[in-house]
Amino acid sequence: MSEARDEFCRAIDAGDVKVAMATLVGVVSADESMHTDTDPNFGNAIKHLVDWLMQCGCIEDVELSSGILKSQPPLKVLTLTTRPPRADRFHLKLRLGYRMEVHSFEG
């Protein structure tokens, strides 16, 4: 998983949102604790993803939205703040359907 963290941070540092999103998709789909959960709001799976993100050297903070977006399936929004010197903010939307999946990643 450290290789994926490095790839994610290289993409973030380069401003390559597509590669960063592809890396997140791969991590979430490969780690069962991040895409399946007995909690209907995927609280445990989201916690595992947040823990993974916080171990990335380029991420300073991950903020969870207080609720979910009422769509079909529902979406949960996470706001990622990168470490200085850039300290950019990215928005990660997770689809909470049959399995938790990455819906979009924007910055």
Side-chain angles (χ1 to χ4, degrees), residues 1-10 23 27 31 34 52 55-58:
M1 285 283 199
S2 68
E3 186 176 309
R5 283 188 196 95
D6 293 343
E7 182 179 345
F8 177 75
C9 284
R10 279 192 300 272
T23 304
V27 166
D31 187 334
M34 290 187 202
W52 185 88
Q55 291 174 13
C56 293
C58 58

Side-chain angles (χ1 to χ4, degrees), residues 1-61:
M1 285 283 199
S2 68
E3 186 176 309
R5 283 188 196 95
D6 293 343
E7 182 179 345
F8 177 75
C9 284
R10 279 192 300 272
I12 290 293
D13 291 342
D16 194 338
V17 176
K18 286 184 179 183
V19 170
M21 180 173 165
T23 304
L24 286 173
V25 168
V27 166
V28 170
S29 65
D31 187 334
E32 188 173 342
S33 71
M34 290 187 202
H35 63 74
T36 58
D37 200 338
T38 56
D39 176 358
N41 291 320
F42 288 88
N44 295 321
I46 291 169
K47 181 190 177 315
H48 287 289
L49 177 58
V50 169
D51 290 346
W52 185 88
L53 287 164
M54 290 302 296
Q55 291 174 13
C56 293
C58 58
I59 300 298
E60 182 170 290
D61 186 46

